[in-house]
Amino acid sequence: MNIHMPCDIITENYLQGLLNEKFKDNPKATLKDIIDTLKEIPEYKNSIVKPVIRVGGNDDFAGKIAVLMAGGTNGGEKVFKAYFEAGVGTIICMHMPEDVRKAVVEQNIGNVIVAGHMPSDSIGINMLVEELRNRGLEVTTMSGIINKF
C-alpha cells in the first residue's frame, strides 16, 4: 500500500489553506513573510532543512501563492511557467532541480520557495499517523520522519 502520495496531498492542502488564510488580507506579503510562516510549523521548525527562497528575494511580493507538494519535481519549467502565466506569483514546493531553477530565473515571471522534502513529507505523514493513533493504532515513525514534538 502506498501512502506517500496521499500524504503529499494532505500536506499540499494543509499548507495552501494555512497560507491562504494567513495572507488573504495582505496583498503586500513578501517571500520573507511566507518563509517566517513556514518556519512556525513544527516539522519545519524541528528540521535541519529549512524553507529557502530559490527564485526571488526576501522583499519580493508573493502575490498569489500555489503550493505544489505532490508530483515529484512538479513538472519542470513549463509547468512552473504555466502557473506564473495563470497569475500565480509564488510557488512553494518540496524541491527544485538546478536546471529548472535556472529556467525559471530566466523566465523572470515568478518566485519559488523550496520548503524541503523531508519536513514537507512529514507534515502529511504526521497528520495520517495522528488519525491512526486516534483510532487506537500504535504507530512508530522512522526513516527520517520529523516529529511535531
Side-chain angles (χ1 to χ4, degrees), residues 14 55-56 73 102 144:
Y14 168 75
V55 179
T73 58
K102 286 180 181 178

Side-chain angles (χ1 to χ4, degrees), residues 62-142:
K64 183 175 179 162
I65 302 165
V67 179
L68 309 177
M69 292 291 173
T73 58
N74 305 308
E77 65 187 81
K78 290 181 181 176
V79 172
F80 279 78
K81 185 176 183 183
Y83 272 91
F84 297 137
E85 289 177 343
V88 169
T90 300
I91 292 174
I92 300 173
C93 55
M94 285 191 205
H95 35 69
M96 180 183 212
E98 185 59 23
D99 62 322
V100 174
R101 189 196 70 77
K102 286 180 181 178
V104 172
V105 167
E106 288 176 19
Q107 293 168 5
N108 196 32
I109 54 175
N111 307 301
V112 180
I113 292 174
V114 172
H117 192 129
M118 289 310 296
S120 298
D121 275 352
S122 296
I123 292 170
I125 291 170
N126 283 333
M127 289 178 163
L128 174 64
V129 166
E130 186 175 346
E131 182 60 31
L132 293 173
R133 287 177 177 155
N134 287 341
R135 294 174 184 232
L137 293 172
E138 182 179 328
V139 179
T140 303
T141 59
M142 61 184 81

Side-chain angles (χ1 to χ4, degrees), residues 6-91:
C7 290
D8 284 351
I9 293 171
I10 289 169
T11 298
E12 186 174 283
N13 289 337
Y14 168 75
L15 290 177
Q16 189 70 64
L18 175 82
L19 295 170
N20 287 350
E21 182 62 28
K22 174 91 176 184
F23 299 114
K24 70 180 178 186
D25 297 323
N26 185 1
K28 299 210 181 225
T30 65
L31 298 187
K32 184 179 182 321
D33 294 331
I34 295 172
I35 293 284
D36 291 345
T37 299
L38 292 174
K39 286 181 177 178
E40 293 173 6
I41 298 168
E43 289 84 350
Y44 295 119
K45 185 187 297 185
N46 296 336
S47 175
I48 60 171
V49 175
K50 303 296 182 197
V52 295
I53 299 167
R54 293 280 283 146
V55 179
N58 277 337
D59 297 327
D60 290 345
F61 293 121
K64 183 175 179 162
I65 302 165
V67 179
L68 309 177
M69 292 291 173
T73 58
N74 305 308
E77 65 187 81
K78 290 181 181 176
V79 172
F80 279 78
K81 185 176 183 183
Y83 272 91
F84 297 137
E85 289 177 343
V88 169
T90 300
I91 292 174

